[in-house]
Structures are given as C-alpha cells and as structure tokens.
Amino acid sequence: MTFMEETSHLKALVQKLADTQQLDREEWVTLLQGQSPEFSEYLFALARKVRQKHYGTDVYVRGLIEFTNYCRNDCYYCGIRKSNPTASRYRLSPEEILSCCRIGYRLGFRTFVLQGGEDGYYTDARLVPLVERIKTSYPDCAITLSVGERDRNSYQRLFDAGADRYLLRHETFQHTHYSKLHPASLSAGHRQDCLWTLKEIGYQVGTGFMVGSPFQTDQHLAEDLLFITRLNPQMVGIGPFIPHHATPFAKKSAGTLEKTLFLLALLRLLLPKVLLPATTALGTIHPKGRELGILAGANVVMPNLSPTSVRKDYALYDNKICTGDEAAECRVCLERRVNSIGYQITTARGDSLNLDSYSAAINPIDSKGGYPYV
C-alpha cells in the first residue's frame, strides 16, 4: 500500500468512526498504528468540530478535593500504594472538606469531585453523612466520587445520599495486562463489574485508562476502546502513565503527549457527547498539555481545591503540577489558559449529554470477567 493509499484508508476509518461510532478490533489497531503528526492534525480538527457541535467552546470545571491518600491497594504504578513507606499520609476532616467546597462554590464551581485512595477508614458510616452534608449545603451542585471498588450496597447508599457521578478508571481491559500492573488481589473483571453496577444504580459513570502504561500494546488499547463502546459511559478520563520514584515501575518510560492526544480525539469521535477531561497528567508532561487536550476534543478541566498543605502528598506520580497554588490561583490560571486558545470556562454543572439507560443485555460477562472477544 502506498503512502497515499494508507492515508486514504486511515481517513476512511476515521470517517466510519465519526459516522457510526463503531469500529472492530482490527480497525482500531490500524488507526492506532497509523498515528503520525499529519494524520493527528486531521483527526484533531474533526474532533474539535464534533466537540463544538455538542458543547460549543465551553469548558466545564470540576473542583477536585483529594481528601485521603491512604490506600489499601498496592498497584505497581501508584505513588500512594500501601507499600510506599515514604508517603506522607493524611486524611481531611469533614470540616476541611466542607471548607474546600465553600471556597470552590465562591469561585464558581458547581461540581465537587471527592477523590481518594481506597481508604478503609472511610466506611459508609463516615462517607454517607459527608455526601449528605455537601448535597444539603449545595443542592445546585453535582457530587462526583472517585473512591475505588466498593460493594453494591455501598454504591447504592452513596447514590441515595446524593452522589451524582462516579469515576472508576478501568485502567486496562485485558485481564493479563491488568495482572502485570496490579497484585493478585485485584482483577480486571471485578473492576469492570463495579462499573456495570454503578451504571445500573443510576450514576453518571466515568471510566478510563493510562496511555503508555508498562507492557501496553495497541491491541490492549483496542480492547479498551471496545469496552468503552459497550459501556457507553458519560465520562472518560485518560492520561499518560507517569512513573513514581517509589514504585516498582520507577524506571519505566512515561506515556507520550502525542499518543494521549490522539486517543482523546478518537474518544471524542467514538462518544461525541462524552465528558472528556484534559487531565493534570497532560499538563505535567507538557507545559501546554491541557490546552492541547482541549484542542484535541476535551471539554473538562479539574482544578485542585485541596488545601495546599496536603497537595504535594497526593502524589500518584512524580512532578505533579499545581501542588502549591491556592484554589483561586488555579481557577484564574486555568481560565487564562483556556481563553488563550479561544475557549471559555463555564460555571454550569456540566452534566453529560451522553445520558442513557442501563441494559444488562450489553454486559455479556464470561466466567473470567471478560467479553467473548478477549
């Protein structure tokens, strides 16, 4: 196949994706392997067009509150893994968390994201009243939780207390690859089951994966995109793998800006109405990473509302940005950056337009916790 023929084939696949929101595994792999600077620019332009059709030039802000860095898990890539003896552990009190919400509300935030490690201290008895207090104090705001794998009853109680959304990145769909990134106590199948449960309960669900994680192949990424097609989430959060010095993957290479932007654009075409963050990790690997993410189809940014005294301690990876800025500084800085590329911050709740009903028929889990095509 000549260069012109290959380019024409890739563009035809992209057009098929934009028209049908469906590709098979081999088509995904072909697209991923066809990444080039010229083709990427073509893809970004199409992703921007689709993004602006549904969301205009608005960028939604989420107030991120990293309320605990204790974690019971030992994921090989994560800086707050339980076996990291150098981590400086903390938990915010309910009053500290509510103070973050007060500051965020004054700054125009209408979504609060409570994110933490899988901390056994935060039982339902502690977390449910906290969610209720936030919802009572700020009824016009959405509450997003990102606190990992819990049982169905816990997810239901938190939903009934007022949580609207739940972020749980599946990290990688393929179970063999998952086992190379996590200890045996964790499984890809269980994590995926949690996502289906969250969706059935009624949450707006977010998933996602690392780009360039150790041992990852384009075939793995194709499986991720097929899983996301089936799940049809309201949010997808992806970011480059960035190593942390106190983990088994300290010497592994980071994921690239280019691949992450390429995948953001593909996700925008796959799920035109999805909420797609330009992540802090993107801003960490490139000074204008978040702006480039927006120009590749993203429409969400997540400034940090956590107290500056603990920000440096929520270190999932090395060299994380914005660990010293006050909340207002983060907000103003991001607004300036977003405006510089022709977009604007909006203070709306920013619910996904990709709201659908759950159907158990689209979850054909086999006995290994995977789909038949794995």
Side-chain angles (χ1 to χ4, degrees):
M1 189 180 294
T2 67
F3 174 77
M4 293 297 292
E5 288 172 333
E6 182 180 3
T7 300
S8 178
H9 179 54
L10 291 172
K11 288 185 176 180
L13 286 178
V14 166
Q15 193 59 54
K16 178 182 177 181
L17 176 61
D19 291 343
T20 69
Q21 288 75 56
Q22 293 283 339
L23 292 178
D24 66 30
R25 182 184 355 210
E26 293 311 311
E27 288 172 329
W28 279 121
V29 172
T30 298
L31 271 184
L32 292 164
Q33 293 179 343
Q35 179 190 347
S36 68
E38 296 78 14
F39 182 51
S40 293
E41 288 305 319
Y42 168 81
L43 179 62
F44 297 159
L46 186 55
R48 283 195 295 274
K49 182 178 179 181
V50 171
R51 176 246 200 270
Q52 290 180 13
K53 175 183 176 182
H54 297 290
Y55 291 102
T57 54
D58 286 344
V59 176
Y60 299 112
V61 287
R62 311 317 199 190
L64 181 61
I65 305 171
E66 297 163 334
F67 69 101
T68 174
N69 73 344
Y70 283 86
C71 192
R72 67 189 178 196
N73 294 332
D74 233 357
C75 305
Y76 302 150
Y77 49 82
C78 184
I80 64 170
R81 63 195 305 262
K82 72 176 181 181
S83 292
N84 179 6
T86 65
S88 178
R89 305 291 180 178
Y90 74 89
R91 293 185 181 107
L92 298 184
S93 69
E95 291 307 322
E96 287 174 313
I97 294 168
L98 286 163
S99 175
C100 294
C101 293
R102 283 193 293 273
I103 292 168
Y105 193 85
R106 289 199 299 269
L107 292 172
F109 293 93
R110 294 299 179 266
T111 291
F112 302 122
V113 181
L114 272 61
Q115 178 174 292
E118 293 196 21
D119 183 356
Y121 174 83
Y122 280 101
T123 60
D124 291 348
R126 289 189 170 96
L127 201 51
V128 166
L130 176 61
V131 170
E132 289 174 338
R133 288 181 68 184
I134 295 171
K135 199 66 173 183
T136 299
S137 300
Y138 307 101
D140 56 331
C141 293
I143 299 175
T144 302
L145 298 178
S146 181
V147 290
E149 298 178 24
R150 302 170 81 94
D151 64 38
R152 183 189 185 93
N153 289 335
S154 177
Y155 287 147
Q156 185 69 59
R157 284 190 284 267
L158 291 165
F159 182 77
D160 293 342
D164 303 276
R165 307 170 185 151
Y166 204 101
L167 305 180
L168 185 70
R169 298 206 310 187
H170 68 276
E171 300 300 1
T172 178
F173 175 81
Q174 211 279 332
H175 62 89
T176 302
H177 184 220
Y178 193 93
S179 70
K180 293 180 178 180
L181 306 179
H182 303 87
S185 58
L186 302 175
S187 74
H190 185 264
R191 200 161 183 89
Q192 292 155 27
D193 284 346
C194 287
L195 283 161
W196 290 111
T197 297
L198 288 162
K199 195 167 190 184
E200 184 178 5
I201 287 170
Y203 283 94
Q204 296 177 43
V205 173
T207 191
F209 52 86
M210 292 179 289
V211 179
S213 61
F215 318 111
Q216 187 180 72
T217 67
D218 286 332
Q219 286 75 17
H220 293 146
L221 290 168
E223 298 289 2
D224 290 325
L225 292 162
L226 288 167
F227 172 64
I228 287 170
T229 304
R230 286 184 177 271
L231 183 67
N232 193 26
Q234 285 71 51
M235 302 163 278
V236 179
I238 68 169
F241 163 72
I242 302 174
H244 186 283
H245 65 276
T247 69
F249 292 160
K251 302 299 184 183
K252 298 291 186 182
S253 298
T256 66
L257 173 76
E258 293 77 15
K259 190 84 164 188
T260 307
L261 295 176
F262 192 78
L263 280 155
L264 278 172
L266 291 176
L267 284 164
R268 175 55 65 198
L269 300 184
L270 173 63
L271 297 174
K273 298 179 181 180
V274 79
L275 294 169
L276 201 57
T279 62
T280 301
L282 261 180
T284 298
I285 63 169
H286 189 282
K288 292 192 175 182
R290 287 173 294 185
E291 294 96 313
L292 292 170
I294 292 168
L295 292 172
N299 64 334
V300 173
V301 290
M302 298 174 68
N304 202 329
L305 292 178
S306 308
T308 54
S309 59
V310 301
R311 286 189 194 179
K312 67 183 185 306
D313 296 325
Y314 200 84
L316 308 184
Y317 49 82
D318 286 342
N319 303 313
K320 181 180 173 183
I321 59 172
C322 298
T323 57
D325 293 346
E326 297 287 349
E329 292 171 347
C330 279
R331 171 74 162 77
V332 171
C333 174
L334 268 178
E335 186 154 21
R336 239 185 355 252
R337 287 171 172 271
V338 167
N339 291 346
S340 75
I341 56 172
Y343 291 74
Q344 64 278 331
I345 294 289
T346 177
T347 58
R349 260 178 55 128
D351 289 301
S352 173
L353 300 177
N354 189 38
L355 296 175
D356 69 336
S357 59
Y358 173 87
S359 170
I362 61 173
N363 181 22
I365 297 283
D366 67 15
S367 61
K368 292 183 179 179
Y371 292 106
Y373 53 72
V374 174

